[in-house]
Amino acid sequence: MPLFRKNERPAQPNLEQLLSEFNQSLTLIVDKQLLIGNIAAKVKQICPVESIYIFLLDENTGKYKQQNEAKNKPVTLTKRSRLTSWLSVNEKHLTVSEHPDIIAYFPPEEQEIVRQLGAELIFPLKVMNQINGTIFIGKKTDGTVFTPQELKLLSILINQATFAIEHASLYEIQTERLKKMYRTDRLATLGELAAGAAHEIRNPLTAIRSTIQYLSKDFNADPTKKEMMDELISEVERINKIVQGLLSFARPSELNTSEVNIEQLINQTLLLVTNTLRKQDIEVEFEYFTDNTTLQADTEQLKQVFLNIILNAVEAMSKNSSGHSRTLIISIEKGAPINTHSRYLIVSFEDTGKGIEQKDIENVFNPFFTTKEEGTGLGLAICYGIVKRHEGEIEVKSTPGKGTCINIKLPQRI
Ligand SMILES: Nc1ncnc2c1ncn2[C@@H]1O[C@H](COP(=O)(O)OP(=O)(O)O)[C@@H](O)[C@H]1O
Ligand SMILES: [Mg+2]
């Protein structure tokens, strides 16, 4: 006797096998991007759908960030959004077309998110009472509604995915922490060495410079010798600049702090490079997610940080090194609380330049690390020193060929 009558095929062949394979493969993947891709592919294998968007919580900002390829405008969902609260309280998925009443209860910007993502099903990724992410699934490509069996399977699959993502996130945090520890250690040692060397060089250098300047007067009459003296002076100036750079990287806490408005300071810094930006056809976009951009800092030092980072971005996007669009996005947003009276303010510079190769990422803060013919390799080392002195953090993320994002976290009183 046939197992199924004619025209009555099982709705989903081999589903048990599919789920079990999926479960096994998930536990092996610790790369979050790979995992996300895998989850999206499996959802589509269970039932072909028009779209699937996965958002995960960024603990730094309390916002959900879209993980897979974005075809839509950036969407802002936070832990406090009504949609997130609804998912948290109800602990199940929301079927959009069946619950216009619930959707209507969301504020207009959240309704817009649901609409923009073309969502039919919204699943929470819930771990220990926290919504760690959301998955927006579009309509089925064949236009039919989701069957109870499909919904059940999707729920099981997403449940498994939730734990795999949590596992991968913890692994990522742990790896990041270790890397940061090694980096801090290495840079502290390098800093001591650099500071020592710089101090030793500074005094004799001052003596050399003033002697050359004094002697050069005697050579004014002879153009060849005068040129040689000028050359000497400019070489000494170059050494002096390097020594100053090393000291900016390594000098212990020497801050001249006052109340600084970061937004204004960024604008002032941009004014210094207006011409270069215009020449290189670079567009600057701002995304400010907080009204309070004021904090205690050393204006001059922070200006130097912003300038170094902007110049690096400009160099990475310069016309001879990248063919695609040249945009620098500068954003300021509230970060996670540090304690009861302060939190981080996060300032990000995201460029569309040539990016940094994986093997170089760990070295960019090292003094003298450069991939440029004319580079000194001190820019980011100086930034690191200054940000550390402000009790902040600086991190770099980059995709070769796509661009680089430098995040600076600075403590701000609340
Ligand atoms: N926005 C960026 N895009 C691509 N590469 C970058 C960027 N910022 C820094 N880098 C890399 O980090 C290296 C070190 O930067 P930095 O310390 O400013 O020194 P320099 O600019 O003198 O090379 C650069 O040579 C470059 O390889
Ligand atoms: Mg530089």
Side-chain angles (χ1 to χ4, degrees):
M1 185 180 152
L3 207 51
F4 298 99
R5 267 180 268 142
K6 212 175 160 196
N7 294 337
E8 196 191 46
R9 285 178 44 243
Q12 301 292 344
N14 287 331
L15 278 173
E16 263 176 37
Q17 193 190 344
L18 195 110
L19 275 181
S20 119
E21 267 173 28
F22 179 56
N23 203 6
Q24 278 169 13
S25 68
L26 284 191
T27 50
L28 295 174
I29 305 176
V30 285
D31 181 301
K32 220 154 70 179
Q33 284 313 314
L34 206 64
L35 195 59
I36 301 281
N38 220 306
I39 294 165
K42 280 291 182 241
V43 168
K44 287 190 172 164
Q45 216 170 326
I46 288 186
C47 50
V49 289
E50 283 173 1
S51 59
I52 162 159
Y53 296 104
I54 301 179
F55 287 70
L56 294 182
L57 182 64
D58 176 350
E59 288 286 358
N60 277 326
T61 60
K63 280 187 196 155
Y64 293 89
K65 273 204 183 144
Q66 189 166 338
Q67 303 291 315
N68 48 349
E69 208 57 49
K71 287 198 186 67
N72 48 293
K73 279 193 255 139
V75 161
T76 310
L77 263 184
T78 70
K79 269 187 190 176
R80 269 167 287 157
S81 301
R82 283 228 181 125
L83 170 58
T84 323
S85 312
W86 189 92
L87 293 171
S88 176
V89 171
N90 290 278
E91 301 196 356
K92 61 171 186 183
H93 70 270
L94 172 62
T95 307
V96 173
S97 61
E98 284 176 12
H99 295 287
D101 50 326
I102 297 172
I103 303 294
Y105 148 87
F106 299 153
E109 61 278 13
E110 291 181 34
Q111 294 184 26
E112 174 61 20
I113 293 174
V114 176
R115 203 192 53 73
Q116 203 183 308
L117 296 176
E120 169 60 2
L121 301 173
I122 308 174
F123 278 91
L125 295 173
K126 190 167 181 175
V127 177
M128 294 205 290
N129 279 332
Q130 170 161 284
I131 303 289
N132 277 1
T134 31
I135 300 191
F136 293 81
I137 298 179
K139 292 200 174 69
K140 281 169 66 181
T141 45
D142 63 7
T144 59
V145 291
F146 289 93
T147 64
Q149 195 205 7
E150 283 167 339
L151 287 174
K152 197 170 161 204
L153 274 167
L154 283 175
S155 294
I156 297 172
L157 183 121
I158 287 170
N159 209 11
Q160 289 175 347
T162 306
F163 288 100
I165 290 176
E166 179 68 3
H167 178 223
S169 296
L170 288 175
Y171 183 82
E172 197 177 80
I173 292 171
Q174 183 66 4
T175 321
E176 257 324 292
R177 257 193 214 143
L178 276 175
K179 270 197 207 152
K180 207 188 273 174
M181 236 170 64
Y182 288 134
R183 188 189 311 143
T184 312
D185 215 35
R186 190 182 65 236
L187 290 175
T189 317
L190 274 175
E192 274 173 41
L193 201 74
H199 277 294
E200 290 301 318
I201 297 171
R202 199 159 56 161
N203 292 341
L205 196 64
T206 315
I208 293 173
R209 187 163 54 169
S210 45
T211 311
I212 296 176
Q213 266 161 352
Y214 175 75
L215 289 177
S216 68
K217 284 191 221 115
D218 295 348
F219 296 105
N220 277 348
D222 183 334
T224 318
K225 285 188 179 155
K226 181 171 183 317
E227 205 179 301
M228 286 164 85
M229 289 314 262
D230 287 347
E231 184 81 0
L232 262 184
I233 294 176
S234 88
E235 289 297 297
V236 169
E237 278 307 326
R238 201 156 72 95
I239 302 179
N240 196 37
K241 266 212 183 117
I242 295 176
V243 170
Q244 291 299 343
L246 274 182
L247 285 172
S248 304
F249 161 60
R251 196 168 25 207
S253 180
E254 255 180 53
L255 291 179
N256 183 8
T257 55
S258 61
E259 186 138 294
V260 181
N261 184 334
I262 298 294
E263 185 182 341
Q264 279 172 12
L265 193 63
I266 290 177
N267 286 329
Q268 285 171 19
T269 316
L270 282 170
L271 277 183
L272 301 175
V273 290
T274 320
N275 277 335
T276 322
L277 292 173
R278 202 177 301 137
K279 241 188 260 164
Q280 296 288 348
D281 263 344
I282 293 172
E283 241 181 87
V284 181
E285 285 175 19
F286 299 95
E287 287 176 3
Y288 293 158
F289 298 106
T290 168
D291 296 331
N292 181 7
T293 64
T294 313
L295 46 78
Q296 288 289 319
D298 184 316
T299 319
E300 285 312 311
Q301 294 198 21
L302 270 197
K303 202 192 248 181
Q304 197 180 357
V305 170
F306 297 155
L307 188 64
N308 287 348
I309 291 173
I310 293 170
L311 286 177
N312 278 344
V314 169
E315 282 160 13
M317 291 191 282
S318 77
K319 284 183 178 163
N320 37 17
S321 63
S322 100
H324 48 88
S325 83
R326 283 175 276 275
T327 318
L328 173 64
I329 302 174
I330 302 179
S331 64
I332 308 185
E333 59 187 313
K334 265 191 245 169
I338 305 167
N339 49 40
T340 48
H341 52 272
S342 62
R343 75 152 92 82
Y344 283 122
L345 188 73
I346 307 177
V347 190
S348 315
F349 297 82
E350 191 174 354
D351 65 51
T352 56
K354 60 180 175 184
I356 306 173
E357 284 184 44
Q358 192 59 40
K359 69 173 177 31
D360 291 337
I361 288 255
E362 264 313 296
N363 297 322
V364 294
F365 296 113
N366 288 355
F368 302 121
F369 175 81
T370 181
T371 55
K372 302 170 192 167
E373 256 171 51
E374 300 277 300
T376 60
L378 283 173
L380 285 182
I382 291 173
C383 294
Y384 180 90
I386 294 175
V387 172
K388 276 279 153 190
R389 250 169 270 151
H390 282 84
E391 288 170 18
E393 310 235 344
I394 178 166
E395 54 190 27
V396 49
K397 289 184 189 141
S398 187
T399 315
K402 281 204 163 160
T404 302
C405 181
I406 308 274
N407 282 324
I408 298 173
K409 294 192 217 164
L410 293 167
Q412 178 186 45
R413 234 177 266 147
I414 37 181

